[in-house]
Every structure is written in structure tokens, then in C-alpha cells.
Amino acid sequence: MSDAKINIVEAPAGLEGQGFFATSLDSLVGMARANSLWPLPFATSCCGIEFMSTMASHYDIGRFGAERLSFSARQADVLMVMGTIAKKMAPVVKQVYLQMAEPRWVLSVGACACSGGIFDTYSVLQGIDRVIPVDVYVPGCPPRPEQILDGFMQIQELAKNESIRRRNQPEYKALLESYGIE
């Protein structure tokens, strides 16, 4: 056993001394948010299968604080939309998004969720960003588990660096209004 110091989570910038550590509240809240995100998987097709392998022991998304999948929108932080979304399902996706508490993030996984994929038809929604705002896009058909993990880590960075007050700013409210969300 070596005497090397093991850091599980990198400490935020701050003042450190013997017996104390001081940092900003934004940094502390951001670190806590980033390492305890609860995803809600909205999987409809092959991208959902890739997500299942992301949850398995070989890739283990639990290493990033996402061990607990939430199948209740009111307990989730990250909406992970994976696969083909039919236009009939668009109101359901929006309702799930609206039921999530702030702060909430959206990860669009796969070509179908991002842009409709190969299904350029009357019944397939050509990207979920037509009904809800998307924070991170993960391309691929289907994307590899490594890509899904990379997208999740980008969501973690957003959560870590986002100001506590950002969600109350006029720009954010204007973004939601552009989607018909108050």
C-alpha cells in the first residue's frame, strides 16, 4: 500500500489552512451538484440498449455519482433522451421536462434524439430541441458508451460551473419562453 494521497473529488478553489477550508458558496454547491446527478432515462430504441451497457460494470456510470437512476421526474436532475421520438411522444417528453425541479439539464443521446436520425418522416420529431432546451448532444447511431459517459461528464461540468443565480436571469427565462415554458 503506497502513502500516495487519493482524491476522489477535486476540491474547489479556495483558501486552505490547518483545520479550515474556505471557498465560495457557488463552488461548493457546484461540486455537490456535479457529483450527485440523478439521471432520468427516456429511452425508446437502440440508444437505450447502449445506455444499459453504460450502466453495467464495464463502464459504470455510477463512478460519476449517477448510480441512482430516477424514474420519477420530480427526483431527477438530468433528462437523458435516447432514441427515436415520435411526434406523438413530444408532449410527453415536454411534460416530463416540466415536472423536473430546477436546476435541470437535458442530454440528447443518439442521432435520432439529436436530429431525427435516418427517419426523415412525417411521424418522427426531427430533434428534441424542437420541444425542450438541450444542454449536451451526444451524436452517433447508436453512440458508444464512452460517448454517453463523455456527454454526462459535460453535464457535470455545466452543473459544477453554473452560478446559483443563472436560472433566475432574463436570458434563461427568455430561453424557456422560446419553448413556451414559463
Side-chain angles (χ1 to χ4, degrees), residues 60-71:
D60 193 18
I61 199 170
R63 296 177 294 158
F64 303 98
E67 189 69 49
R68 182 194 178 280
L69 290 182
S70 179
F71 293 100

Side-chain angles (χ1 to χ4, degrees), residues 25-70:
L25 182 62
D26 276 354
S27 298
L28 187 64
V29 169
M31 182 185 71
R33 280 182 182 166
N35 295 293
S36 63
L37 294 171
W38 289 0
L40 174 105
F42 194 98
T44 59
S45 48
C46 43
C47 291
I49 304 300
E50 289 298 317
F51 176 69
M52 289 179 207
S53 66
T54 305
M55 292 296 299
S57 59
H58 187 74
Y59 296 102
D60 193 18
I61 199 170
R63 296 177 294 158
F64 303 98
E67 189 69 49
R68 182 194 178 280
L69 290 182
S70 179

Side-chain angles (χ1 to χ4, degrees), residues 15-30:
L15 300 173
E16 190 172 356
Q18 189 168 355
F20 78 92
F21 181 78
T23 187
S24 69
L25 182 62
D26 276 354
S27 298
L28 187 64
V29 169

Side-chain angles (χ1 to χ4, degrees), residues 115-130:
S115 66
I118 60 170
F119 305 106
D120 190 12
T121 65
Y122 69 95
S123 62
V124 174
L125 188 66
Q126 299 300 303
I128 63 163
D129 55 359
R130 298 198 178 195

Side-chain angles (χ1 to χ4, degrees), residues 1-181:
M1 186 68 92
S2 68
D3 293 326
K5 184 179 177 184
I6 299 174
N7 286 331
I8 295 175
V9 175
E10 194 173 307
L15 300 173
E16 190 172 356
Q18 189 168 355
F20 78 92
F21 181 78
T23 187
S24 69
L25 182 62
D26 276 354
S27 298
L28 187 64
V29 169
M31 182 185 71
R33 280 182 182 166
N35 295 293
S36 63
L37 294 171
W38 289 0
L40 174 105
F42 194 98
T44 59
S45 48
C46 43
C47 291
I49 304 300
E50 289 298 317
F51 176 69
M52 289 179 207
S53 66
T54 305
M55 292 296 299
S57 59
H58 187 74
Y59 296 102
D60 193 18
I61 199 170
R63 296 177 294 158
F64 303 98
E67 189 69 49
R68 182 194 178 280
L69 290 182
S70 179
F71 293 100
S72 166
R74 291 178 175 89
Q75 297 174 351
D77 302 309
V78 180
L79 177 59
M80 298 177 75
V81 181
M82 300 166 264
T84 309
I85 304 298
K87 287 183 181 176
K88 284 186 176 182
M89 292 181 355
V92 176
V93 173
K94 188 171 185 173
Q95 181 179 13
V96 168
Y97 178 79
L98 291 174
Q99 289 177 349
M100 294 172 65
E102 288 282 3
R104 56 189 173 207
W105 295 274
V106 177
L107 181 65
S108 179
V109 178
C112 293
C114 293
S115 66
I118 60 170
F119 305 106
D120 190 12
T121 65
Y122 69 95
S123 62
V124 174
L125 188 66
Q126 299 300 303
I128 63 163
D129 55 359
R130 298 198 178 195
V131 289
I132 58 173
V134 175
D135 295 296
V136 175
Y137 294 90
V138 178
C141 184
R144 298 271 309 137
E146 295 91 344
Q147 290 173 275
I148 297 172
L149 289 176
D150 184 58
F152 192 80
M153 288 189 294
Q154 289 178 27
I155 293 280
Q156 281 186 310
E157 283 301 311
L158 288 172
K160 186 188 298 183
N161 298 322
E162 180 178 279
S163 168
I164 296 172
R165 292 171 206 65
R166 178 179 99 71
R167 304 281 169 153
N168 296 327
Q169 302 211 345
E171 295 87 8
Y172 184 72
K173 291 182 180 186
L175 172 70
L176 291 181
E177 286 174 10
S178 71
Y179 286 94
I181 300 171

